[in-house]
Amino acid sequence: HTPQIRTLNASTLAWMFTDTEQALRYKPLCWLVWAGMTQLFGESSLFRFPNLLLHAVNSALVFLLLIGFNKQPGRQSGTRDYILAGSLAALWAWAPARIEPATWISGLGYPLALSFSLLSALVFRQALSQTRIGLRHRTLALSLFLWVLGLLSYPSALCILPVFPVLSLTVDPTRSIRRAIKRSTGHLLLGGLLTGGMLLARSFSHGVWGQSALTAIGPSEQIGRAAYFPLWVLSRMNPFAAAGPIHDGLTKPTLLDPLVWAGVLLVVLILVLLLRARNKMQSVLWASFLVALVPHVGFTEDLFLPTDRYTYTASLYLLLIAGSLILPLSSRTQRRAITVIAVVVIVTVPFTWLQAGTWKTNDALFHRAAQQVQTDLFRAEVLLRIGRLEQARGNLELARELF
């Protein structure tokens, strides 16, 4: 539906990197990949292939990230470290919530941005381990280049920013948090540059970019969404959650919504865990989880309909937290924890298979959405897409009265 990706030339390339009208988020590399796929395969089912391939790559990169996170200075990783990292990576990769970004064509930005961001993080850790100054600087430059590619893929890459100081602490646990952040200055500056550029573009744009979710709703709704979102991300880590693509819990939250207060209590609990953590690493990880959620609240997403792709990046911090909690345990307790994770992954298979069926075709998606979405305005749009005109008209009338 985007004519600019049907041809690939200087004019369309310029459009990809300067557009502020077609899409709500800045994603020039996504447009470039879609244009390349159009040139190679036309409009065929192979358009899903990049998503699937990138998700497979990301699963391997998450495994390597967990290995690097678990590895202590002066100690070689053992078999149990690999098994723990593999089981946690499998839990993340095979969760039903991963199906949407792994199969839905419009969700390409999430796996693409995560691939470049994780590569940047792994190269960054390697740079910190280098003893030769020249080689360290070249490796760090490569990390920054990969980070730029991640930022140009989709703004969700910003959620990876806290990983860089965390990895700095894994290389040298005695380093202060301030010094770890200082080591990540280049990545922080580039992330800030993109954020500032997008906000500036929004202030001058009269197109889609100008429709900021932060100003489209009132203060109470903003507080409600901010409080609800951590609860949403945590709930979608549940492999037995209902397999469904669309959830409208954030459409019109108020301070009287019990889910909002549940989200507030979760944030308070996380802050308590952050302050009472036994070691510095766990404190930083809990703080990183909250920081990683910030871009989603109105900047990288509008959150009217929180879908599973929103958890694609933020859920990684829960894996790192789980790893930090399991590592100090005795060998026997570690084996039990790994066994429990493996069993959960196996039991998850049928739920993931059901979710895959939901995202197989547009028809399957919107029929499932018609069963789930309760908000009148969005329900009317879904019903129109599957041809239920009379029902859609009724929902539109209710929506008009509400808004």
Side-chain angles (χ1 to χ4, degrees), residues 40-337:
L40 291 173
F41 305 111
E43 296 183 5
S44 71
S45 58
L46 289 174
F47 247 90
R48 298 175 186 268
F49 180 71
N51 294 59
L52 291 169
L53 177 62
L54 288 168
H55 182 61
V57 170
N58 288 336
S59 302
L61 293 176
V62 167
F63 170 74
L64 294 176
L65 177 70
L66 290 167
I67 288 293
F69 172 76
N70 295 340
K71 184 178 180 181
Q72 301 299 319
R75 182 180 74 85
Q76 293 294 325
S77 298
T79 303
R80 192 177 295 117
D81 296 323
Y82 288 104
I83 294 175
L84 174 60
S87 58
L88 288 172
L91 182 64
W92 176 83
W94 195 248
R98 303 290 89 79
I99 291 298
E100 180 190 353
T103 60
W104 197 240
I105 295 170
S106 63
L108 174 67
Y110 295 85
L112 184 62
L114 187 59
S115 293
F116 286 125
S117 301
L118 288 180
L119 281 171
S120 175
L122 293 171
V123 173
F124 174 74
R125 191 184 192 283
Q126 188 66 28
L128 297 181
S129 304
Q130 297 293 341
T131 55
R132 295 168 54 188
I133 300 299
L135 184 58
R136 175 184 295 182
H137 288 167
R138 289 193 295 272
T139 310
L140 184 58
L142 176 59
S143 174
L144 290 170
F145 173 71
L146 291 167
W147 177 236
V148 169
L149 294 181
L151 293 173
L152 293 178
S153 298
Y154 203 78
S156 60
L158 292 167
C159 299
I160 292 294
L161 264 179
V163 166
F164 295 101
V166 166
L167 288 177
S168 183
L169 289 174
T170 65
V171 175
D172 183 6
T174 63
R175 180 178 292 135
S176 67
I177 296 176
R178 179 179 297 179
R179 190 178 175 192
I181 294 175
K182 187 177 179 181
R183 286 288 185 92
S184 313
T185 300
H187 298 81
L188 294 172
L189 288 175
L190 288 171
L193 185 63
L194 174 75
T195 304
M198 289 188 65
L199 292 176
L200 184 64
R202 278 186 176 180
S203 65
F204 289 101
S205 175
H206 298 289
V208 177
W209 273 31
Q211 302 171 12
S212 174
L214 291 178
T215 58
I217 60 175
S220 63
E221 284 86 358
Q222 291 179 20
I223 295 172
R225 289 184 185 180
Y228 181 81
F229 192 57
L231 182 68
W232 160 252
V233 173
L234 193 63
S235 70
R236 296 311 294 168
M237 285 296 290
N238 174 14
F240 312 114
I246 295 180
H247 316 267
D248 58 352
L250 294 184
T251 305
K252 265 310 217 189
T254 68
L255 295 182
L256 299 179
D257 191 333
L259 287 177
V260 169
W261 283 105
V264 171
L265 290 176
L266 176 62
V267 172
V268 172
L269 176 62
I270 291 175
L271 291 174
V272 171
L273 292 172
L274 187 159
L275 296 173
R276 296 178 60 86
R278 294 183 178 181
N279 58 58
K280 179 170 57 180
M281 180 61 72
Q282 289 181 11
S283 296
V284 171
L285 285 172
W286 282 116
S288 297
F289 173 62
L290 291 179
V291 171
L293 297 175
V294 172
H296 286 289
V297 186
F299 182 66
T300 66
E301 321 299 342
D302 59 18
L303 290 187
F304 274 126
L305 290 174
T307 52
D308 289 337
R309 60 182 178 269
Y310 297 177
T311 69
Y312 195 71
T313 304
S315 58
L316 291 178
Y317 292 94
L318 299 176
L319 295 183
L320 295 176
I321 291 169
S324 71
L325 294 174
I326 295 173
L327 275 177
L329 302 177
S330 65
S331 298
R332 184 177 182 182
T333 308
Q334 281 189 26
R335 287 195 295 270
R336 289 177 177 175

Side-chain angles (χ1 to χ4, degrees), residues 362-380:
N362 284 352
D363 189 61
L365 170 66
F366 290 117
H367 273 85
R368 179 65 174 171
Q371 298 172 6
Q372 286 197 322
V373 176
Q374 301 302 317
T375 307
D376 293 310
L377 182 61
F378 298 104
R379 183 171 173 78

